Amino acid sequence: MSSRQFLQELAHDAMRDRGFEPDFSQAAQAQVARLHGPAAADSRRDLRDLPWCSIDNDDSRDLDQLSVADVSSGPLKLLVAIADVDSLVSRDTPVDQHAAHNTTSVYTGAQIFPMLPERLSTDLTSLNEDEDRTAIVIEYAVREDGSVGESDVYAAVVRNRAKLAYPSVGAWLEGNGPPPPKIAEVPGLDANLRQQDRAAQALKKRRHQMGALTLATIEPRPVFEDDTLRDLAEAQRSRATELIEDLMVASNGVVARFLADHGLASLRRVVRVPQKWPRIVELAAQHGSRLPGDPDAVALEEWLLRQRAEDPQRFPDLSLSVVKLLGRGEYVVEQPGEDATGHFGLAVQDYTHSTAPNRRFPDLVAQRIVKVALAPGPGPAPPYGDGELQAIAERCTEREDAANKVERLVRKAAAALLLQSRVGDRFDAIVTGASEKGTWVRIRRPPAEGRLERGYEGLDVGDRVRVKLVHTDPARGFIDFARS
C-alpha cells in the first residue's frame, strides 16, 4: 500500500470515528444528477463586464469568491462576489442535510472531503473562470484611513476573468516575480489588482492599529511524489493571501451589519476575551516584556510585532503558543440590537462567516438570511427560527473542532511516516499543550507535533525544550518524545 493510500484510508476512518459522513448518500447524488446547469440569472444586476478575478491555492477548484476594485467615481470601492450556493441547494434537501450534518469541508492533505458534492462545489456553484455565475455581491467603500464606508449587498451575475493563485500573485505584488500571464490577458486587471492590494493594506493597517493580532502559525501539508510521501510543506503567506484575508474580513463585517440593520438574527463568529490572559502575560515576561494585567489586544499586538522583528525564525512557535492560549473561535446567535461579542484576534466587533458557502455551512445559512433581507416588499419569513439558529451555532462549533482533529490526525500520521526511521534522534521543540491529559511539543523539521512521555514536569505552553524521538505509530498518528 502506498503512503498516499494509507493516509486516505486513515482519513476516511477518522471521519467516521469523529461522526462525519465522508460519502454522499444516494439521495444526495440523485439530487445533483437532476441539475441541468448553473442557477439562472433572473433579474439580477449584470456585472459580467467587470475585471473580476479569483485568487486561491494552486489546486483549489471550489471557488467561493471573486473580487474587483471600482474607482470610477468617489472613494475606492471593493466588490466581492460570493458564490450563490443557495439557488441550487434548497433547505432540507438531501444535499443540504449532508451539509448541515458535516457543516464544513475537511482538508486532510491526503484527501478532501467536500461539504457539497463536487459537481456543485467545483462546477455549478463554483465561480469558475470564463463562466457566468449568479452571486451575492458585497460592496463597500474603503477610506484612506482603512475604515469601511458606505456599503451594500445585492444579487448579481458575474464572470471570473482570471483564475489566479497565491504564490505567483504574491511574488508579483511583492516585486519578487513577473505578473502571472493571465493578468496581462485581461485589460485593466494589472491596475485593478494593485488597487485591491492598496485597499487591503489600508484595511489591514487600521485593524492592526485597533489590536488585530499578527500571528504566523505553521500549517504543514503532505507533499507526495506520485503516491509516495516525501515531505511536509509549510503554507507560505504573502501579499496575495493578505489581500484576500483582509477583503474577506471586511466583507463579513459588512454582512453582519447588513443583517442587523434589517432586523434579522444571524450567526456570528467570535473569539472571546482570553481567559488565559495571565499565562500570556507570563509568556511575555519570559521574553523580557511586560503586558497589562487585563486583556489588551493593542498591547499584545505591539509585543507580537517586536518579537517577530527580533526573532522571525522562532515567531511561528510563539504564535502557536499565543493561539492556544487565546482559546477557540465559536459560533453564536446574535439578535438585532444586542451588543456584539466581537472577535478578539481580528479586533472587529461585527463579524459573521458569509464568504465561503461552498465550504462552510454557516456561510450558506448567512446567505439564506441575506436573501430574506433582499426580497422585495415584506419579504419571506426568516429561514431559521432562533432555536434552529442556536442549534446550528452549537453544531458548527462542535464540528469545526472535530474537523480540526481529523486534519491534525492525518498530519501527525504523515509526520509519523516521515519520522519512523529517525527514532533516537534529538530535536529542539516548543511546548504546545500542557494539561492533565498530557504535554505536547512541536519540532521544526519536519514540522510535527507529538506527546512528551517523559520529563514533562513543570513545563507549560511556550516553554522551549530539547527532546528525543522514542516512538512512532503512523496508524494511530502517534509521535512520542522524551525530554533530553
Side-chain angles (χ1 to χ4, degrees):
M1 181 187 300
S2 69
S3 49
R4 184 192 292 272
Q5 185 180 359
F6 167 80
L7 292 172
Q8 287 175 339
E9 292 187 4
L10 184 143
H12 197 279
D13 291 343
M15 290 283 287
R16 287 281 187 202
D17 292 343
R18 293 290 178 183
F20 289 99
E21 294 176 358
D23 305 305
F24 293 96
S25 66
Q26 290 185 348
Q29 295 177 46
Q31 177 185 342
V32 175
R34 291 193 294 270
L35 295 173
H36 299 297
D42 303 323
S43 57
R44 299 165 180 245
R45 299 189 197 185
D46 188 347
L47 302 180
R48 288 175 293 179
D49 288 341
L50 295 178
W52 296 99
C53 68
S54 61
I55 311 175
D56 214 312
N57 294 316
D58 287 293
D59 55 355
S60 292
R61 298 169 58 216
D62 49 350
L63 303 181
D64 277 302
Q65 65 266 150
L66 309 178
S67 58
V68 68
D70 179 8
V71 292
S72 57
S73 61
L76 173 63
K77 290 183 180 179
L78 266 299
L79 282 70
V80 175
I82 306 302
D84 183 0
V85 173
D86 173 66
S87 287
L88 292 182
V89 181
S90 300
R91 264 207 71 181
D92 296 328
T93 56
V95 170
D96 185 60
Q97 290 167 359
H98 180 96
H101 180 85
N102 282 6
T103 78
T104 182
S105 295
V106 183
Y107 299 86
T108 69
Q111 182 175 351
I112 297 172
F113 298 91
M115 184 183 78
L116 302 177
E118 288 195 358
R119 185 169 178 243
L120 282 169
S121 62
T122 67
D123 183 8
L124 301 183
T125 59
S126 178
L127 301 176
N128 291 343
E129 189 176 59
D130 295 329
E131 298 284 350
D132 293 345
R133 290 289 186 267
T134 58
I136 301 297
V137 172
I138 306 163
E139 177 182 316
Y140 52 93
V142 179
R143 303 186 182 102
E144 289 296 326
D145 66 355
S147 60
V148 174
E150 185 178 352
S151 62
D152 196 8
V153 179
Y154 50 86
V157 57
V158 299
R159 188 178 181 88
N160 186 354
R161 298 293 174 176
K163 181 178 183 292
L164 305 173
Y166 290 131
S168 56
V169 175
W172 168 62
L173 289 174
E174 293 161 5
N176 297 322
K182 286 187 177 181
I183 292 179
E185 296 173 6
V186 181
L189 183 55
D190 180 313
N192 198 282
L193 275 168
R194 293 198 181 278
Q195 293 279 15
Q196 293 184 49
D197 177 59
R198 180 168 67 85
Q201 290 296 310
L203 291 165
K204 173 187 172 183
K205 181 179 179 180
R206 181 174 178 84
R207 282 197 305 107
H208 284 274
Q209 288 172 342
M210 301 297 292
L213 302 180
T214 297
L215 297 165
T217 55
I218 295 172
E219 299 178 358
R221 62 177 182 173
V223 176
F224 294 94
E225 185 177 297
D226 296 325
D227 285 334
T228 301
L229 179 67
R230 295 300 186 194
D231 196 5
L232 290 177
E234 302 173 14
Q236 300 298 315
R237 292 182 56 79
S238 69
R239 283 283 282 269
T241 56
E242 290 178 357
L243 187 158
I244 296 302
E245 287 175 4
D246 286 297
L247 296 194
M248 295 312 115
V249 170
S251 298
N252 283 315
V254 168
V255 171
R257 291 186 291 274
F258 176 82
L259 294 177
D261 290 344
H262 283 79
L264 293 166
S266 62
L267 294 180
R268 297 294 181 100
R269 177 69 174 176
V270 305
V271 171
R272 302 180 188 276
V273 173
Q275 294 182 346
K276 294 184 178 180
W277 179 260
R279 175 56 188 157
I280 296 177
V281 172
E282 184 181 335
L283 189 62
Q286 292 176 0
H287 288 77
S289 298
R290 184 175 181 178
L291 291 177
D294 294 325
D296 186 325
V298 174
L300 178 56
E301 167 65 357
E302 291 173 351
W303 173 62
L304 288 170
L305 289 175
R306 290 196 302 270
Q307 292 302 307
R308 185 180 65 173
E310 292 172 6
D311 194 352
Q313 287 191 331
R314 291 185 182 270
F315 186 67
D317 296 329
L318 178 65
S319 293
L320 180 62
S321 300
V322 172
V323 168
K324 295 268 187 175
L325 295 167
L326 286 175
R328 70 176 188 176
E330 59 184 300
Y331 294 98
V332 301
V333 178
E334 184 162 308
Q335 300 292 340
E338 288 184 347
D339 290 335
T341 302
H343 193 298
F344 185 86
L346 295 176
V348 292
Q349 284 299 110
D350 302 304
Y351 189 63
T352 188
H353 269 174
S354 62
T355 55
N358 275 311
R359 313 179 193 190
R360 293 185 306 223
F361 191 63
D363 303 60
L364 179 54
V365 170
Q367 188 168 94
R368 288 170 175 158
I369 302 173
V370 164
K371 286 189 174 183
V372 171
L374 295 179
Y384 302 95
D386 291 345
E388 289 178 297
L389 276 181
Q390 182 60 42
I392 291 170
E394 294 172 1
R395 176 70 179 177
C396 290
T397 299
E398 184 271 332
R399 286 292 83 192
E400 182 181 60
D401 289 345
N404 288 336
K405 290 174 181 176
V406 171
E407 293 170 357
R408 186 163 60 245
L409 172 63
V410 177
R411 284 198 301 269
K412 291 180 70 174
L417 283 174
L418 288 174
L419 287 169
Q420 60 186 350
S421 64
R422 299 187 63 182
V423 171
D425 286 3
R426 288 171 168 78
F427 304 86
D428 291 323
I430 185 170
V431 178
T432 57
S435 68
E436 294 179 355
K437 296 180 180 180
T439 299
W440 305 87
V441 299
R442 185 170 63 79
I443 62 174
R444 288 282 294 168
R445 294 302 309 162
E449 188 177 49
R451 186 184 179 101
L452 190 60
E453 295 291 345
R454 298 193 301 273
Y456 51 79
E457 295 82 1
L459 294 176
D460 206 341
V461 173
D463 290 340
R464 294 189 176 99
V465 63
R466 184 77 171 168
V467 299
K468 181 174 77 170
L469 179 64
V470 296
H471 177 252
T472 68
D473 184 348
R476 302 170 71 185
F478 285 0
I479 302 172
D480 297 330
F481 297 99
R483 196 168 180 176
S484 174

